[in-house]
């Protein structure tokens, strides 16, 4: 069926309307529970205003909603199929000679476009909101209204400074005081040659990153066969900037879809593993197809010519349980990919393909029956 036909537009309107209705309802429920949880956290904090709590909860919403987004689409699809079956509209469409695949085509097209819009438009906004949430939550924990979150677990950087030297830098803590300056404390630097042999080691109480230059202060230099040298300052030119440093501490979920390819290239060029970011990027690319697979699962349980035979509750429960099984299995396989037991491409696409193929097989059998 052509999605641009009258019937196609009608079906797309139905599922999009149900999707928005379910999404708003879920947003309301999530907001209420998050608000209650946040109010408990700040119950003994008279310095925290109600506006700050509301802002914190709103900024956390996208991260929570992303986990339930496929379920929202599946529930919306089940509601759409149930209504069309209950009103005998599905029977009328079938009697007009439209196969189940022609019936599903405009619905799958609409769902796929929702997934594309979510990845291309909504994801960058959600990533930015998640980044704000991390900063606000850090300010809540530290009781510092001007704190900027970079790291509470240190910083590791590997970078080639010229054709002969590679630096490996470790900082125990990182702090930003203004927009263009970053302070690193308890800094250790190893200078390596291209064969990964240590040339010398530098220990510094503090380093400053500004204008793409590391400046170490109160430096102790250790080199094999030579006495220790104490220097007031040592400087290195670097291609690393504040944005790159910040990305080192931000979860892949907080990086925009459009920024992930550059981030992956940066990590690989620096010698770090980019598996988490690759997995995130592939999962975003596959998310429209995952939504379509969830619609096929909903069709297996909710698309029936006659809903008056009973068993509606069983079908609804079966659909929801199947959705949870698909989600749980996909998370397990995703974890295998994160730990490099499976190639990232296989870890992301295997659950989607299996879910779609099984659903299509069941629908083919129902169609023949």
């Amino acid at each position: 069926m052509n999605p641009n036909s009258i019937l196609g537009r009608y079906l797309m309107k139905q599922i999009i309307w149900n999707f928005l209705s379910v999404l708003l309802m879920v947003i309301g429920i999530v907001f209420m529970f998050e608000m209650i949880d946040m109010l408990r956290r700040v119950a003994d904090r008279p310095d925290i205003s109600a506006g700050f709590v509301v802002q914190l909860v709103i900024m956390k919403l996208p991260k929570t909603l992303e986990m339930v987004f496929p379920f929202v689409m599946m529930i919306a699809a089940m509601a759409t199929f149930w209504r069309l079956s209950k009103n005998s509209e599905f029977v009328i469409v079938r009697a007009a000679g439209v196969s189940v695949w022609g019936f599903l085509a405009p619905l799958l097209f609409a769902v796929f476009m929702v997934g594309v819009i979510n990845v291309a438009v909504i994801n960058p906004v959600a990533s930015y909101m998640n980044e704000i949430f991390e900063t606000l939550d850090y300010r809540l924990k530290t009781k510092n209204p001007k704190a900027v979150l970079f790291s509470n677990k240190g910083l590791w950087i590997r970078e080639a400074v010229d054709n002969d030297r590679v630096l490996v830098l470790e900082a125990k803590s990182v702090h930003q005081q203004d927009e263009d300056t970053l302070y690193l404390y308890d800094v250790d630097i190893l200078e390596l040659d291209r064969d990964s042999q240590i040339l010398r080691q530098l220990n510094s109480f503090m380093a400053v990153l500004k204008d793409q230059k590391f400046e170490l202060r109160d430096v102790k230099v250790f080199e094999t066969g030579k006495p220790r040298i104490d220097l007031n300052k040592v400087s290195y030119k670097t291609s690393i900037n504040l944005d790159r440093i910040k990305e080192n501490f931000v979860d892949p979920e907080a990086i925009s879809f459009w920024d992930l390819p550059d981030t992956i290239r940066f990590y690989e060029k620096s010698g770090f593993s980019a598996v988490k970011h690759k997995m995130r990027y592939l999962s975003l690319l596959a998310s429209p197809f995952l939504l379509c697979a969830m619609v096929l699962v909903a069709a297996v349980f909710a698309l029936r010519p006659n809903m008056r035979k009973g068993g509606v509750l069983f079908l609804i429960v079966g659909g929801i349980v199947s959705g949870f099984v698909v989600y749980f299995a996909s998370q397990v396989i995703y974890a295998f990919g994160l730990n490099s037991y499976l190639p990232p491409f296989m870890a992301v696409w295997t659950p989607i393909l299996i879910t779609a193929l099984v659903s299509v097989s069941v629908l083919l059998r129902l169609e023949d029956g």
Side-chain angles (χ1 to χ4, degrees):
M1 183 192 302
N2 185 359
N4 198 34
S5 64
I6 295 176
L7 181 58
R9 291 198 301 270
Y10 173 76
L11 294 175
M12 289 192 295
K13 179 181 176 181
Q14 290 294 316
I15 194 167
I16 291 175
W17 175 255
N18 286 326
F19 167 73
L20 293 176
S21 300
V22 175
L23 183 63
L24 289 174
M25 182 176 62
V26 172
I27 289 175
I29 295 173
V30 171
F31 180 83
M32 180 181 65
F33 280 100
E34 292 287 355
M35 195 69 179
I36 293 173
D37 180 65
M38 199 61 63
L39 288 173
R40 286 175 180 167
R41 287 180 57 186
V42 302
D44 57 346
R45 295 284 302 276
D47 57 311
I48 301 299
S49 65
F52 181 86
V53 174
V54 173
Q55 184 182 10
L56 196 63
V57 172
I58 291 175
M59 294 302 162
K60 189 181 179 182
L61 278 178
K63 183 177 181 180
T64 306
L65 290 176
E66 184 179 4
M67 295 187 296
V68 300
F69 200 80
F71 292 106
V72 171
M73 183 58 73
M74 190 186 74
I75 293 172
M78 292 185 69
T80 302
F81 295 144
W82 180 78
R83 181 182 176 281
L84 293 173
S85 299
K86 181 182 178 182
N87 295 340
S88 301
E89 294 175 84
F90 178 58
V91 176
I92 296 172
V93 172
R94 293 300 306 277
V98 179
S99 68
V100 67
W101 309 114
F103 179 83
L104 289 173
L107 296 169
L108 293 174
F109 175 78
V111 170
F112 186 83
M113 293 309 299
V114 169
V116 171
I117 293 172
N118 176 57
V119 172
V121 180
I122 299 177
N123 172 261
V125 177
S127 299
Y128 179 70
M129 292 175 65
N130 186 64
E131 183 179 343
I132 295 175
F133 166 75
E134 295 292 342
T135 300
L136 294 177
D137 189 54
Y138 182 64
R139 291 176 179 177
L140 178 66
K141 293 176 181 177
T142 59
K143 300 182 180 181
N144 182 359
K146 296 183 179 180
V148 177
L149 174 63
F150 274 93
S151 173
N152 56 6
K153 57 184 179 182
L155 166 69
W156 283 87
I157 295 175
R158 180 182 183 273
E159 184 186 23
V161 293
D162 53 40
N163 294 330
D164 301 319
R165 290 184 303 164
V166 176
L167 296 185
V168 177
L169 180 148
E170 179 197 7
K172 295 295 191 300
S173 61
V174 184
H175 179 66
Q176 183 186 15
Q177 290 187 351
D178 51 57
E179 294 183 357
D180 61 350
T181 305
L182 191 69
Y183 293 87
L184 302 87
Y185 298 94
D186 294 330
V187 179
D188 292 323
I189 292 182
L190 290 178
E191 287 189 12
L192 311 175
D193 61 19
R194 285 298 178 177
D195 297 324
S196 298
Q197 299 299 313
I198 298 176
L199 299 176
R200 62 176 183 168
Q201 179 181 351
L202 294 86
N203 301 130
S204 172
F205 168 72
M206 184 180 70
V208 180
L209 173 62
K210 185 175 182 179
D211 299 329
Q212 293 190 324
K213 184 176 74 173
F214 272 119
E215 183 179 282
L216 283 70
R217 301 173 182 175
D218 297 330
V219 186
K220 297 179 177 64
V221 181
F222 300 90
E223 195 169 352
T224 305
K226 296 182 181 180
R228 189 186 80 183
I229 302 174
D230 295 335
L231 301 174
N232 291 328
K233 292 183 180 180
V234 175
S235 297
Y236 291 100
K237 289 185 177 180
T238 178
S239 61
I240 298 173
N241 53 37
L242 286 176
D243 291 334
R244 290 302 187 189
I245 294 288
K246 196 169 186 179
E247 286 175 358
N248 190 61
F249 304 114
V250 177
D251 292 333
E253 289 76 12
I255 302 176
S256 167
F257 169 78
W258 302 107
D259 294 333
L260 277 171
D262 289 338
T263 304
I264 293 171
R265 283 192 292 268
F266 170 76
Y267 276 116
E268 290 179 339
K269 185 177 179 181
S270 301
F272 292 103
S273 172
V275 173
K276 291 194 298 183
H277 299 81
K278 284 183 178 178
M279 293 286 293
R280 173 64 176 171
Y281 185 64
L282 289 173
S283 65
L284 287 175
L285 285 176
S287 60
F289 298 94
L290 175 61
L291 296 181
C292 291
M294 299 301 281
V295 171
L296 292 174
V297 172
V300 169
F301 289 92
L303 198 57
R304 292 288 187 271
N306 188 1
M307 300 295 286
R308 296 172 182 171
K309 293 182 180 180
V312 176
L313 181 61
F314 172 76
L315 295 175
I316 293 175
V317 173
I320 295 175
V321 170
S322 298
F324 275 103
V325 170
V326 170
Y327 179 79
F328 177 77
S330 65
Q331 292 301 304
V332 172
I333 298 176
Y334 193 90
F336 282 138
L338 287 177
N339 291 278
S340 300
Y341 295 128
L342 288 174
F345 185 86
M346 183 181 295
V348 170
W349 282 97
T350 298
I352 298 174
L353 292 175
I354 292 176
T355 302
L357 291 174
V358 171
S359 300
V360 169
S361 299
V362 175
L363 288 172
L364 281 172
R365 187 176 177 213
L366 292 175
E367 175 79 355
D368 293 339

